[in-house]
């Protein structure tokens, strides 16, 4: 009887302990979620201020009745609005992306994708992000079609380009190259900027990590989204410094491929 009573008491104590630990974990998880989204809001509020101010300033200038704007000036204002709108859109996409990653709701919509055509489209639509940078595309020859989620890969490449633009001097050469190596789709984004320190390379894909002054540039979400979206494809992204100077992001995705169609780019 004594052993039976002890067993019941142990069971009750174990049940109460597990219930208490579960409540503690739930409380800690809620606090982490709140802290995470507070950090996102703080980052976005800082990052969105500049493009919003640009758009408002340009609209005010164009609506000013007492000021006659030349055609060139109007074109410059429209260009500023377009660039600011692209920047806003990029931040919204990053917010949606990190939310999907945190919630575990990243579901791939795989379809046959011409990776060279995808990059050409990105450069045509978003090259005005920073005309002071020199972006060159080196498409691989006779690449197959890859089964990828083109929307996620586009977001990955935009974030890598934006990162290169933010952290390299004006006039830096940014090169994008594609290849088909050992059955993998490979994409390289390299530049001839200052490169990264060893400590930065280890931390650069962490959420909210910023290079240098944490209040200076970006939200610190772009590269963590790159890593998450590539991982969703069972791929890998790594960062190295070029021997001749600058940085190189290397993406390798073990995607299904097909040589049914081949495209030639000039």
């Amino acid at each position: 009887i004594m052993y039976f009573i002890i067993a019941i008491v142990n069971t009750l104590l174990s049940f109460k302990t597990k219930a208490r630990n579960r409540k503690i974990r739930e409380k800690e998880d809620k606090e982490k979620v709140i802290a995470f989204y507070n950090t996102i809001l703080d980052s976005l509020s800082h990052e969105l201020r500049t493009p919003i101010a640009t758009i408002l300033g340009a609209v005010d200038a164009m609506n000013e009745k007492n000021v006659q704007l030349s055609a060139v000036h109007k074109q410059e204002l429209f260009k500023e609005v377009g660039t600011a709108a692209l920047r806003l859109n990029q931040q919204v996409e990053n917010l949606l992306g990190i939310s999907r990653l945190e919630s575990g709701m990243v579901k791939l919509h795989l379809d046959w994708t011409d990776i060279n055509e995808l990059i050409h489209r990105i450069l045509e639509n978003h090259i005005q992000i920073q005309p002071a940078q020199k972006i060159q595309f080196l498409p691989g020859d006779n690449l197959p079609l890859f089964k990828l989620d083109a929307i996620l890969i586009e977001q990955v490449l935009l974030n890598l380009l934006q990162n290169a633009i933010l952290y390299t001097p004006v006039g830096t050469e940014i090169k994008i190259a594609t290849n088909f190596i050992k059955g993998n789709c490979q994409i390289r984004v390299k530049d001839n900027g200052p490169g990264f320190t060893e400590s930065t390379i280890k931390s650069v894909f962490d959420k909210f990590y910023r290079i240098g002054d944490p209040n200076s540039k970006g939200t610190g979400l772009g590269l963590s989204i790159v890593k998450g979206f590539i991982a969703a494809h069972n791929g890998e992204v790594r960062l190295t410094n070029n021997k001749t100077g600058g940085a190189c992001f290397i993406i390798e995705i073990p995607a299904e491929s097909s040589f049914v169609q081949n495209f030639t780019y000039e």
Side-chain angles (χ1 to χ4, degrees):
I1 295 174
M2 182 61 68
Y3 287 131
F4 179 70
I5 294 173
I6 292 174
I8 292 176
V9 171
N10 284 336
T11 301
L12 290 174
L13 289 175
S14 178
F15 178 79
K16 289 183 178 181
T17 300
K18 289 180 179 179
R20 183 171 64 251
N21 290 339
R22 184 170 61 253
K23 288 182 179 180
I24 292 174
R25 287 195 301 271
E26 289 175 352
K27 182 180 179 181
E28 291 176 347
D29 290 341
K30 289 180 181 178
E31 290 175 349
K32 289 180 181 179
V33 170
I34 292 172
F36 172 74
Y37 282 104
N38 282 340
T39 305
I40 285 182
L41 291 175
D42 290 342
S43 299
L44 285 175
S45 63
H46 178 268
E47 183 66 14
L48 299 182
R49 190 175 293 118
T50 299
I52 290 176
T54 299
I55 292 173
L56 292 176
V59 171
D60 287 341
M62 287 185 285
N63 286 334
E64 184 63 44
K65 297 181 180 179
N66 297 326
V67 177
Q68 295 294 327
L69 298 176
S70 65
V72 174
H73 194 184
K74 286 182 179 180
Q75 186 176 5
E76 290 178 352
L77 289 175
F78 280 123
K79 187 176 181 179
E80 289 180 3
V81 170
T83 300
L86 285 173
R87 186 173 175 181
L88 283 174
N89 183 69
Q90 184 71 4
Q91 296 308 323
V92 171
E93 291 295 334
N94 279 343
L95 178 59
L96 294 174
I98 202 66
S99 297
R100 291 171 65 187
L101 288 171
E102 288 296 312
S103 64
M105 295 299 291
V106 177
K107 295 182 179 179
L108 300 182
H109 299 282
L110 300 177
D111 200 358
W112 292 112
T113 303
D114 182 340
I115 194 67
N116 285 342
E117 182 183 6
L118 176 64
I119 294 174
H120 274 294
R121 187 167 68 247
I122 291 172
L123 295 180
E124 289 175 0
N125 294 337
H126 300 276
I127 193 66
Q128 56 197 14
I129 290 175
Q130 179 53 274
Q133 302 289 357
K134 300 176 182 178
I135 302 178
Q136 182 182 6
F137 178 36
L138 306 172
D141 295 330
N142 299 318
L143 292 189
L145 300 179
F146 296 103
K147 255 197 175 177
L148 302 168
D149 188 316
I151 294 177
L152 296 191
I153 297 302
E154 179 175 344
Q155 186 68 18
V156 162
L157 293 174
L158 282 173
N159 280 339
L160 287 178
L161 285 172
Q162 185 66 15
N163 184 77
I165 289 166
L166 282 175
Y167 296 107
T168 57
V170 171
T172 296
E173 293 184 356
I174 301 171
K175 295 182 179 180
I176 309 173
T178 56
N179 212 336
F180 182 49
I181 298 179
K182 297 180 180 179
N184 292 343
C185 172
Q186 185 187 87
I187 306 171
R188 291 175 178 257
V189 179
K190 61 187 299 185
D191 61 67
N192 60 350
F196 293 85
T197 63
E198 289 299 322
S199 60
T200 299
I201 289 176
K202 294 178 180 179
S203 305
V204 75
F205 293 105
D206 295 343
K207 287 191 295 291
F208 306 116
Y209 181 83
R210 297 192 189 97
I211 301 170
D213 182 359
N215 296 317
S216 60
K217 300 176 181 179
T219 59
L221 296 177
L223 292 182
S224 64
I225 291 172
V226 168
K227 182 178 179 180
F229 283 176
I230 295 302
H233 284 81
N234 296 317
E236 177 188 15
V237 57
R238 58 186 184 274
L239 169 62
T240 63
N241 283 321
N242 301 316
K243 293 181 179 180
T244 56
C248 181
F249 287 88
I250 304 169
I251 294 172
E252 290 190 356
I253 303 174
E256 185 179 350
S257 59
S258 171
F259 284 93
V260 172
Q261 296 184 41
N262 288 315
F263 296 85
T264 302
Y265 295 90
E266 296 181 357

